[in-house]
């Protein structure tokens, strides 16, 4: 109960810091974002529901939004990060225009995909390796109806990039999904967070610890809206160019226990911890060995001003992944899809 009071006090402090939400401009008032949003809205976007069946786990249906299906045989697959969904790629997809075929996937527990309660599934269900297997299962299902010469480039952000690293480098996944991996020609990894993190991001830790009832109180009092808006505002070098809709999307995710609890589980399981909540170095170092198994070219993108995860981590990941290149984006922070589309 004491911890809940402390968390509530934190929400109240954040909520008392002014009306940041009102300072965020709607998409329609930011010319570049309005143009990208209109470009995305104009794309042909059929949907698919992909059944994934994993031995020893529940059957889970994943939602896939397809942009310009069959436009080309070279498909770009997008995997979002934590507390997010396929909508994080709205402006990136708009920037790519109608010349590409894009697959925007909702991870389990996110968007329009099935959302098993973390308490009803195995402890590792929302861990990066298990999520990578679900992505592989979804891609296998979708490729069944794709032309046989379809080639894939996979793109991820933050936790999505961690998942793709497991997809490409985990030996068990390589053994079980050779038919999927042989279709992948390369990867673009936006901030692929290193699994060896002795110091974890405090904002993510706080988000993982908020009780559902406390989030509901914050939502009803308006504190949640202001807290999220402040996080969005401070998460970019050019806050006047970030659409208010980005805050609205995160508020929606945090306000729904069906998406909040899976997101919190993903944060807790992103790195292996011991019973005291400290980094389990042995397990982390074993997972770090996955990097060396990746066999496709990787482009790593990192924001030079990322406050959550230092660009130094990017140099380390680049050094450990064979045939990887790193591009550090000046005047950029963590939320690259919405700030540097």
């Amino acid at each position: 109960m004491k911890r809940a009071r402390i968390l509530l006090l934190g929400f109240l402090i954040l909520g008392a810091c002014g009306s940041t939400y009102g300072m965020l401009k709607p998409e329609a008032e930011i010319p570049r974002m309005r143009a990208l949003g209109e470009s995305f809205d104009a794309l042909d976007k059929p949907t698919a529901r992909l059944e994934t069946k994993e031995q020893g786990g529940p059957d889970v249906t994943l939602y896939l939004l397809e942009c310009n299906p069959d436009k080309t045989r070279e498909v770009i697959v997008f995997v979002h990060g934590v507390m997010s969904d396929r909508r994080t790629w709205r402006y990136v997809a708009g920037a790519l225009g109608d010349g590409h075929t894009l697959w925007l996937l909702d991870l389990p527990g996110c968007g329009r995909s099935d959302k098993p309660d973390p308490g009803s599934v195995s402890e590792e269900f929302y861990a990066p390796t298990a999520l990578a297997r679900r992505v592989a299962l979804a891609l296998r299902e979708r490729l069944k109806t794709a032309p046989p010469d379809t080639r894939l480039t996979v793109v991820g952000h933050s936790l999505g990039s961690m998942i793709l690293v497991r997809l490409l480098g985990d030996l068990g996944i390589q053994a079980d999904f050779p038919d999927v991996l042989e279709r992948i020609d390369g990867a673009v990894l936006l901030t692929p967070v290193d699994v060896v993190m002795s110091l974890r991001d405090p904002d993510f830790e706080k988000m993982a610890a908020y009780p559902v009832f406390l989030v509901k109180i914050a939502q009803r009092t308006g504190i949640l809206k202001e807290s999220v808006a402040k996080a969005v505002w401070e998460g970019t070098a050019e806050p006047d160019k970030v659409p208010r809709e980005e805050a609205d999307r995160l508020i929606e995710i945090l306000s729904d226990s069906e998406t909040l609890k899976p997101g919190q589980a993903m944060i807790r399981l992103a790195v292996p911890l011991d019973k005291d909540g400290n980094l389990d170095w042995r397990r982390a170092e074993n997972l770090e060995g996955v990097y060396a198994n990746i066999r496709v070219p990787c482009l790593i993108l990192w924001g030079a001003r990322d406050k959550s995860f230092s660009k130094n981590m990017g140099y380390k990941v680049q050094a450990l992944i064979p045939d990887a290149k790193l591009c550090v984006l000046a005047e950029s922070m963590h939320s690259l899809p919405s700030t540097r589309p």
Side-chain angles (χ1 to χ4, degrees):
M1 195 65 185
K2 181 179 179 181
R3 186 180 188 185
R5 292 195 192 100
I6 293 172
L7 290 169
L8 179 58
L9 178 61
F11 262 138
L12 290 171
I13 292 172
L14 285 171
C17 295
S19 181
T20 311
Y21 183 84
M23 295 165 61
L24 290 169
K25 297 179 182 178
E27 178 186 291
E29 295 181 11
I30 306 173
R32 185 184 183 207
M33 294 306 192
R34 182 181 67 243
L36 293 175
E38 290 173 350
S39 176
F40 175 78
D41 291 340
L43 299 177
D44 181 24
K45 298 188 293 296
T47 62
R49 299 193 64 81
L50 307 172
E51 302 293 333
T52 66
K53 300 178 183 293
E54 180 77 316
Q55 186 175 3
D59 295 348
V60 177
T61 300
L62 300 189
Y63 179 86
L64 184 71
L65 182 70
E66 302 183 15
C67 301
N68 301 319
D70 302 324
K71 183 81 174 186
T72 71
R73 296 292 190 263
E74 297 178 354
V75 178
I76 308 175
V77 182
F78 292 89
V79 181
H80 60 81
V82 71
M83 296 295 182
S84 191
D85 54 36
R86 72 196 178 282
R87 292 175 294 175
T88 196
W89 304 109
R90 171 177 174 82
Y91 302 114
V92 176
L96 289 169
D98 62 1
H100 301 79
T101 296
L102 316 174
W103 294 352
L104 282 56
L105 185 68
D106 278 337
L107 290 169
C110 305
R112 296 184 182 178
S113 290
D114 287 350
K115 304 173 183 64
D117 188 286
S120 68
V121 292
S122 71
E123 185 178 1
E124 293 297 308
F125 180 88
Y126 284 110
T129 301
L131 292 173
R133 294 186 66 87
R134 290 289 174 177
V135 171
L137 287 164
L139 292 177
R140 172 181 282 169
E141 190 67 20
R142 179 60 186 86
L143 286 168
K144 288 179 181 178
T145 56
D149 58 344
T150 298
R151 309 301 301 173
L152 307 178
T153 295
V154 291
V155 182
H157 175 238
S158 198
L159 179 71
S161 287
M162 292 183 75
I163 291 168
L164 292 182
V165 167
R166 305 291 174 84
L167 172 71
L168 297 169
D170 182 87
L171 293 179
I173 293 177
Q174 287 182 352
D176 291 342
F177 298 95
D179 54 319
V180 174
L181 294 178
E182 69 182 9
R183 300 285 197 103
I184 299 176
D185 292 328
V188 181
L189 307 174
L190 285 66
T191 324
V193 180
D194 181 27
V195 70
V196 179
M197 287 192 293
S198 58
L199 178 63
R200 291 160 290 156
D201 182 78
D203 291 334
F204 280 109
E205 286 199 337
K206 284 186 285 186
M207 194 181 296
Y210 288 143
V212 173
F213 82 89
L214 187 59
V215 176
K216 293 295 184 184
I217 293 173
Q219 179 191 9
R220 291 170 188 153
T221 58
I223 295 172
L224 179 63
K225 180 165 73 171
E226 182 58 25
S227 299
V228 169
K230 189 171 185 291
V232 171
W233 183 272
E234 294 179 350
T236 174
E238 298 180 290
D240 60 326
K241 296 181 181 178
V242 177
R244 182 185 298 166
E245 285 82 354
E246 287 297 296
D248 292 337
R249 182 169 59 87
L250 182 52
I251 292 167
E252 176 190 321
I253 292 169
L254 293 172
S255 301
D256 187 344
S257 61
E258 284 196 338
T259 49
L260 171 63
K261 291 194 288 185
Q264 290 177 322
M266 291 179 194
I267 294 172
R268 290 193 300 269
L269 295 167
V271 297
L273 305 177
D274 61 23
K275 58 182 178 61
D276 297 319
N278 299 313
L279 182 70
D280 186 326
W281 279 97
R282 185 180 300 276
R283 290 170 58 204
E285 288 167 348
N286 287 338
L287 289 170
E288 191 179 39
V290 166
Y291 302 152
N293 302 327
I294 297 176
R295 295 291 178 261
V296 299
C298 295
L299 172 63
I300 300 170
L301 302 179
W302 216 284
R305 300 182 185 177
D306 194 322
K307 294 192 299 182
S308 301
F309 306 104
S310 168
K311 63 183 178 182
N312 294 334
M313 190 181 293
Y315 288 104
K316 176 188 175 183
V317 176
Q318 176 202 15
L320 294 176
I321 296 179
D323 200 12
K325 295 181 179 180
L326 172 66
C327 178
V328 177
L329 301 178
E331 300 182 6
S332 300
M333 298 175 77
H334 187 70
S335 300
L336 295 176
S338 58
T339 59
R340 293 295 299 274

